[in-house]
């Protein structure tokens, strides 16, 4: 079981991921399920807008660093690199979903979970929810395509501040920075996102898709993330070598 479910209501699909505990941290199974779900939704002509959400109390508290399936210890370099690229493939699949995507964020939204949230076109945050990107403090760059997404939304100087200082960004600050679009009472983000999605879905679906594709093509022309997954792999190797020295 991947912990990923999709429910459709009219032209709106709600994708929920829930691993049943462990702060909903992204493990290999959840990452694979999220990638497959994004690819499947992209093929659905009957769906105009997608809502992406975690559990009712938490979106995702980062990556499950204890899941060895993400690192493949003892495997060869190519196999390990493929495993470590899984998160990047997943976020890339969500970034390429042709329908508008609205993320409903409750509780902590950290690391890989925050990058996943940034792949959405819009974000609704609960009043107590917050974003955090701790990768640099862990000795890694912001991978999974997250760096250009963050810079796209807040600009280069603010992105540096957020990453260098490992800032905890509350909902109100996220709204002012452009990292989220609406702040609502805790526990109501999914309802708000679905209502918003229903309104957006009233527009012609093809026009929505074409406009999203045109805007994304214009703003993301200079992305150079092809080697990003390998950079993440090399950073992991550096950490492992350091721990053994």
């Amino acid at each position: 079981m991947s912990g990923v479910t999709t429910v459709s209501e009219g032209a709106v699909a709600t994708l929920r991921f829930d691993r049943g505990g462990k702060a909903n941290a992204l493990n290999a199974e959840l990452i694979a399920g999220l990638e497959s779900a994004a690819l499947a939704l992209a093929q659905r002509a009957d769906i105009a807008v997608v809502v992406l959400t975690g559990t009712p109390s938490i979106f995702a508290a980062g990556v499950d660093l204890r899941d060895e399936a993400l690192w493949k210890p003892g495997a060869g370099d190519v196999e390990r690199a493929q495993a470590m690229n899984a998160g990047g493939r997943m976020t890339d699949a969500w970034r390429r979903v042709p329908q508008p995507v609205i993320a409903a964020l409750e509780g902590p939204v950290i690391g890989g979970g925050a990058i996943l949230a940034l792949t959405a076109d819009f974000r609704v945050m609960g009043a107590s929810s917050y974003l955090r990107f701790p990768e640099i403090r862990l000795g890694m760059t912001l991978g999974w395509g997250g760096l250009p997404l963050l810079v796209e939304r807040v600009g280069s100087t603010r992105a540096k501040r957020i990453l260098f200082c490992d800032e905890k960004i509350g909902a109100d600050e996220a709204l002012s920075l452009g990292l989220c679009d609406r702040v609502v009472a805790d526990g109501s983000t999914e309802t708000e996102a679905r209502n918003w999605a229903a309104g957006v879905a009233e527009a012609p679906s093809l026009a929505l898709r074409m406009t999203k594709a045109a805007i994304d093509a214009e703003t993301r022309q200079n992305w150079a993330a092809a080697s990003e997954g390998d950079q993440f792999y090399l950073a992991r190797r550096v950490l492992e070598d350091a721990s053994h020295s």
Side-chain angles (χ1 to χ4, degrees), residues 141-228:
T141 59
L142 186 65
W144 294 10
L147 187 59
L149 284 171
L150 181 62
V151 174
E152 177 184 305
R153 283 155 176 75
V154 304
S156 60
T157 299
R158 284 175 174 167
K160 289 174 185 176
R161 190 192 77 203
I162 289 168
L163 294 172
F164 295 172
C165 302
D166 187 15
E167 293 189 348
K168 180 179 176 180
I169 306 165
D172 289 337
E173 184 180 5
L175 183 64
S176 68
L177 290 175
L179 287 172
C180 82
D181 303 276
R182 296 182 183 181
V183 176
V184 297
D186 293 339
S188 63
T189 61
E190 183 179 338
T191 298
E192 176 70 16
R194 290 173 67 178
N195 289 339
W196 188 2
V200 173
E202 293 175 0
S205 185
L206 182 58
L208 288 173
R209 293 172 182 237
M210 291 176 66
T211 302
K212 174 175 175 174
I215 292 173
D216 287 351
E218 178 65 26
T219 58
R220 298 173 183 174
Q221 291 183 60
N222 297 319
W223 277 27
S227 63
E228 195 171 64

Side-chain angles (χ1 to χ4, degrees), residues 82-98:
Q82 289 174 337
M84 292 183 192
N85 271 297
R89 292 193 300 270
M90 179 267 291
T91 53
D92 187 63
W94 276 99
R95 184 174 60 82
R96 295 178 184 277
V97 169

Side-chain angles (χ1 to χ4, degrees), residues 71 80-81 84 135-136 138-143 227-243:
W71 319 118
R80 296 197 72 195
M84 292 183 192
E135 279 77 5
I136 287 182
L138 296 174
M140 296 178 283
T141 59
L142 186 65
S227 63
E228 195 171 64
D230 294 323
Q231 291 171 358
F232 182 64
Y233 167 65
L234 291 174
R236 180 70 186 181
R237 289 296 299 272
V238 168
L239 289 174
E240 290 174 346
D241 291 343
S243 68

Side-chain angles (χ1 to χ4, degrees), residues 93-107:
W94 276 99
R95 184 174 60 82
R96 295 178 184 277
V97 169
Q99 302 97 324
V101 179
I102 303 174
L105 311 179
E106 298 280 358

